[in-house]
């Protein structure tokens, strides 16, 4: 899930290094160099995203982990901007200058299943199962007790080349949301839209009737940013089921028709959905910047000090586009629009389960045996009750507290309260980088006020909003991608096919929406191009893998 901290992504240094004075080295049993700091700690080169308010080298949790597990982290950092972060990761791997440990965030730059298979079969990613068995009882317990977690972690050859996070995030399970300015709806005498055409009417009114009341035509009916966008998905689900993909914003290319693996992107219904989105774009109801601007630019639009200008934003949660706790209360103006009904009566929403689908913890063949053991023991601590609280929120009393009399949990009994707003300290937690064992029981034990628009009421606000989407998923069409692994020998081929197809589909969809390609004239060529880009082979590989999964064999 996206971290529920403010995500104003500032320009950060692309890579930092922690100076280690007086290092010595020797060879561990497996031949990798074991580097030891002057104070006897194992040095681990660690590649991770770093938030705008954080500095991992001085982070409170970094110090806790360093002291507890005798680790000297040497950080290689990226920003939370997914495109550049993933590019830097890929360059590091391609050049051979990659770290001992990747510790990533799924919605920033998590590895895909195909990438994990490729790196595992190449020998870059080290098998973790024996390290876990010997050093990580908490991780082993999670694998043994959670069938889906074990399936998504274990490749067909029995190896665990990387671990995903596990976060039972209800609002992340239904990510295809649209947040609309309900204050503007009330001012204009409009109802919450229920159909695609009712949405068009609302957006037209937002554009032309000056709902912010400043006498200027500065309202933006709908916008988003590419990394966080659910624009195509939210609108497409009124025409045909649009399957959720990885947490990095790339949609899935496949769904199920019975037990047959198919792609929805070539369906006539998908074409109709794109035509509808194109019609909104042509009317100026979708901001041109929605397909090009970064997260920082979207926040700047949402926090425009001159006026509230955003009418609707299709993203996971409001904090992506507006500062929560705004002085003028503008963040309270936005409410979720339930799934729309399209012209043929369809009314789907995307289904994302498990809600963290990228692979984030990977040890490489650069890591010494000592580094491997220390890193796995550290991760095992994160899986413990104590380690989960500390790594996610920081030290007790600084990032969180235990429940007090009168506290109310999201559901069930209260277990913890996380400081927010002015009480939240910076750089004291690993937060999204540490969401490895966020079970439903733990998440629901969070103390959350009943006032959903208060600064502390966000989780309840998201929980209640998501209830409108629950039940609109079509599990018959849902492909259980995290549990279905292709043949490891095909990992490299699949990764290449997936990359090429994702690029081809996204470029053409954007061209159809913005009108640089005429969809009626160009649709047949687009469908034909899917096959020349490798769609038939891609579906064949996925079908073989799904058949093995259904038969009980990986």
């Amino acid at each position: 899930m996206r971290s529920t901290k403010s995500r104003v992504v500032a320009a950060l240094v692309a890579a930092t290094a922690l100076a280690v004075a007086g290092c010595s080295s020797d060879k561990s049993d497996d031949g990798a160099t074991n580097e030891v700091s002057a104070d006897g700690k194992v040095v681990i080169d660690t590649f991770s995203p770093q938030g705008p308010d954080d500095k991992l080298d001085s982070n409170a949790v970094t110090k806790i982990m360093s002291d507890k597990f005798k680790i000297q982290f040497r950080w290689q950092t990226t920003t939370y901007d997914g495109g550049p972060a993933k590019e830097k990761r890929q360059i590091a791997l391609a050049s051979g200058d990659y770290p001992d440990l990747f510790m990533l965030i799924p919605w920033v730059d998590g590895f895909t299943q195909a990438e994990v298979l490729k790196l595992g079969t190449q020998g870059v990613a080290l098998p973790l199962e024996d390290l876990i068995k010997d050093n990580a009882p908490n991780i082993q317990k999670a694998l043994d007790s959670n069938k889906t977690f074990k399936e998504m972690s274990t490749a067909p050859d029995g190896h665990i080349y990387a671990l995903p996070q596990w976060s039972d995030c209800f609002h992340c399970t239904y990510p295809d949301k649209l947040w609309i300015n309900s204050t503007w709806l009330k001012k204009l005498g409009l109802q919450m839209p229920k159909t695609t055409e009712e949405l068009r009417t609302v957006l037209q009114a937002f554009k032309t009737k000056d709902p912010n009341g400043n006498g200027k035509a500065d309202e933006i009916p709908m916008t988003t940013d590419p990394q966080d966008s659910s624009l195509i998905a939210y609108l497409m689900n009124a025409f045909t089921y649009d399957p959720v993909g990885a947490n990095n914003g790339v949609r899935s290319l496949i769904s199920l028709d019975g037990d047959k693996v198919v792609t929805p992107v070539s369906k006539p219904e998908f074409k109709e959905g794109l035509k509808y989105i194109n019609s909104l774009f042509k009317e100026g109801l979708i901001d041109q910047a929605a397909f090009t601007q970064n997260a920082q630019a979207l926040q700047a639009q949402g926090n425009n000090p001159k006026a509230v200008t955003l009418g609707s934003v299709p993203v996971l949660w409001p904090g992506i586009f507006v500062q929560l706790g705004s002085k003028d209360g503008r963040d309270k103006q936005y409410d979720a629009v339930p799934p729309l009904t399209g012209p043929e009566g369809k009314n789907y929403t995307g289904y994302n389960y498990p809600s963290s689908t990228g692979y984030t913890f990977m040890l490489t063949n650069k890591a010494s045996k000592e580094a491997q053991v220390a890193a796995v023991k550290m991760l095992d601590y994160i899986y413990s009750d104590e380690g989960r609280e500390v790594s996610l929120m920081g030290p007790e009393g600084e990032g969180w507290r235990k429940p007090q009399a009168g506290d109310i949990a999201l559901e069930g009994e209260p277990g913890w309260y996380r400081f927010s707003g002015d009480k939240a300290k910076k750089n004291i937690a690993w937060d999204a980088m540490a969401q490895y064992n966020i079970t439903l029981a733990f998440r629901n034990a969070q103390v959350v006020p009943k006032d959903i628009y208060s600064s502390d009421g966000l989780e309840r606000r998201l929980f209640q909003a998501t209830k409108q989407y629950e039940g609109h998923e079509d599990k018959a069409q849902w492909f259980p991608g995290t549990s279905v692994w292709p043949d490891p020998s095909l990992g490299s081929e699949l990764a290449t096919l997936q990359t090429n197809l994702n690029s081809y589909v996204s470029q053409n969809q954007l061209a159809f929406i913005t009108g640089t390609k005429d969809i009626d004239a160009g649709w047949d060529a687009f469908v034909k191009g899917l096959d020349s880009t490798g769609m038939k082979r891609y579906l064949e590989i996925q079908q073989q893998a799904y058949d093995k999964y259904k038969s009980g064999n990986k």
Side-chain angles (χ1 to χ4, degrees):
M1 59 166 281
R2 299 304 304 264
S3 168
T4 49
K5 297 194 302 183
S6 175
R7 294 181 48 267
V8 183
V9 181
L12 298 175
V13 180
T16 60
L18 230 153
V20 182
C23 292
S24 62
S25 64
D26 55 34
K27 293 285 184 178
S28 62
D29 293 340
D30 61 2
T33 300
N34 180 39
E35 190 175 356
V36 182
S37 68
D39 56 356
K41 295 179 178 179
V42 58
V43 178
I44 302 181
D45 286 303
T46 308
F47 186 106
S48 299
Q50 180 175 258
D53 295 327
D54 297 320
K55 290 189 178 298
L56 286 172
D57 55 355
S58 60
N59 188 281
V61 172
T62 298
K63 186 179 188 308
I64 291 170
M65 298 299 186
S66 178
D67 292 343
K68 190 174 185 67
F69 298 100
K70 307 302 179 186
I71 296 172
Q72 179 69 65
F73 294 96
R74 189 155 56 201
W75 297 102
Q76 301 174 29
T77 62
T78 66
T79 71
Y80 276 11
D81 195 341
K86 185 175 181 181
E87 182 180 6
K88 184 175 180 181
R89 168 170 69 73
Q90 291 172 328
I91 290 172
L93 287 164
S95 68
D97 187 22
Y98 49 85
D100 306 319
L101 172 66
F102 286 98
M103 202 161 177
L104 308 177
I105 295 173
W107 45 263
V108 177
D109 58 350
F111 288 106
T112 65
Q113 193 183 64
E115 288 173 324
V116 169
L117 273 178
K118 181 179 180 180
L119 295 171
T121 54
Q122 288 177 342
V124 174
L126 294 177
L128 301 176
E129 63 275 0
D130 288 340
L131 281 164
I132 292 171
K133 182 178 179 182
D134 295 338
N135 302 284
N138 295 310
I139 300 175
Q140 190 64 58
K141 181 180 178 181
L143 290 166
D144 291 341
S145 61
N146 186 330
K147 179 177 178 288
T148 302
F149 179 54
K150 187 171 185 177
E151 287 177 345
M152 69 188 296
S153 301
T154 309
D157 60 8
H159 289 309
I160 297 174
Y161 293 115
L163 283 171
Q165 292 185 350
W166 184 272
S167 180
D168 282 321
C169 172
F170 178 60
H171 79 267
C172 310
T173 303
Y174 300 90
D176 298 339
K177 296 182 175 71
L178 176 65
W179 298 89
I180 201 163
N181 195 317
S182 52
T183 298
W184 287 8
L185 289 177
K186 292 176 184 176
K187 181 175 181 179
L188 299 176
L190 297 169
Q191 299 296 315
M192 185 70 75
K194 296 180 181 179
T195 69
T196 50
E197 289 309 307
E198 286 179 8
L199 177 65
R200 185 194 304 276
T201 299
V202 166
L203 297 181
Q204 289 171 339
F206 284 177
K207 181 182 179 182
T208 62
K209 295 187 177 181
D210 191 28
N212 66 11
N214 67 354
K216 299 178 181 179
D218 56 355
E219 288 84 358
I220 302 171
M222 180 182 290
T223 193
T224 186
D225 73 80
Q227 178 180 333
D228 301 296
S229 177
S230 56
L231 188 153
I232 296 176
Y234 177 81
L235 298 174
M236 185 62 68
N237 273 307
F239 293 84
T240 187
Y241 172 67
D242 188 355
V244 178
N247 291 138
N248 58 10
V250 179
R251 301 297 292 191
S252 175
L253 295 167
I254 53 178
S255 57
L256 290 175
D257 182 1
D259 282 334
K260 184 179 180 182
V261 180
V262 298
T263 182
V265 300
S266 60
K267 289 181 176 180
E269 295 90 342
F270 215 95
K271 176 185 176 182
E272 292 307 307
L274 291 174
K275 289 181 72 172
Y276 169 75
I277 301 171
N278 166 254
S279 72
L280 298 182
F281 185 85
K282 285 195 297 186
E283 290 184 44
L285 305 180
I286 296 175
D287 184 20
Q288 291 189 7
F291 302 104
T292 57
Q293 67 184 348
N294 61 21
Q296 185 179 11
L298 177 61
Q299 274 270 340
Q301 287 180 322
N303 297 325
N304 184 343
K306 296 180 179 180
V308 177
T309 60
L310 297 188
S312 65
V313 188
V315 291
L316 178 63
W317 66 289
I320 291 174
F321 63 89
V322 65
Q323 178 66 49
L324 299 184
S326 299
K327 290 182 180 179
D328 60 4
R330 67 176 64 191
D331 56 304
K332 300 178 182 180
Q333 295 184 13
Y334 296 92
D335 292 296
V337 184
L340 297 175
T341 299
E344 302 299 322
K346 294 178 180 177
N347 189 240
Y348 295 121
T349 196
Y351 184 62
N352 181 39
Y353 183 82
S355 58
S356 290
T357 54
Y359 293 79
T360 51
F361 182 91
M362 179 187 288
L363 280 164
T364 76
N365 55 5
K366 298 288 185 76
S368 67
K369 186 64 177 178
E370 292 81 357
Q372 296 170 36
V373 171
V376 167
K377 285 185 175 180
M378 175 194 70
L379 185 63
D380 193 62
Y381 175 65
I382 293 175
Y383 272 76
S384 71
D385 291 342
E386 174 188 306
R388 175 174 53 192
E389 292 166 341
V390 169
S391 59
L392 181 68
M393 300 179 287
E396 184 179 356
E398 295 184 47
W400 65 285
R401 63 163 173 79
K402 292 178 180 177
Q404 299 174 350
D407 283 344
I408 304 170
L410 188 62
E411 281 194 331
E413 293 297 317
W416 51 277
Y417 169 81
R418 186 172 188 175
F419 299 130
S420 61
D422 295 339
K423 298 179 182 178
K425 296 182 180 180
K426 296 179 180 179
N427 205 39
I428 62 166
W430 279 0
D431 198 23
M433 200 170 76
Q435 292 179 356
Y436 279 92
N437 190 26
I438 312 302
T439 61
L440 187 63
F442 176 77
R443 192 174 189 99
N444 286 350
Q446 179 178 357
V447 171
V448 185
K450 288 186 176 180
D451 181 1
I452 64 172
Y453 298 107
S454 67
S455 59
D456 292 346
L458 176 62
E459 282 296 323
R460 195 176 300 280
R461 181 180 181 185
L462 299 179
F463 186 84
Q464 292 182 6
T466 305
K467 284 290 186 181
Q468 301 174 95
Y469 297 81
E470 186 180 25
H472 289 272
E473 70 276 16
D474 187 350
K475 292 183 180 178
Q477 296 188 65
W478 174 69
F479 182 85
T482 59
S483 296
V484 178
W485 286 79
D487 186 328
S489 66
L490 302 176
S492 182
E493 180 185 5
L494 185 65
T496 300
L497 287 169
Q498 195 163 285
T499 298
N500 292 343
L501 285 165
N502 283 332
S503 177
Y504 177 79
V505 170
S506 61
Q507 288 176 11
N508 278 276
Q509 286 181 358
L510 181 59
F512 290 144
I513 289 170
T514 58
T516 58
K517 280 188 178 181
D518 182 87
I519 192 166
D520 286 319
W523 184 255
D524 289 344
F526 163 70
V527 173
K528 185 177 180 180
L530 285 171
D531 289 339
S532 61
T533 311
M535 181 61 81
K536 285 185 178 179
R537 176 60 176 158
Y538 182 74
L539 293 176
E540 180 183 4
I541 293 172
Q542 296 286 12
Q543 185 71 60
Q544 291 171 353
Y546 181 71
D547 290 343
K548 286 184 179 180
Y549 170 75
K550 287 288 287 185
S551 68
N553 299 313
K554 259 207 166 182

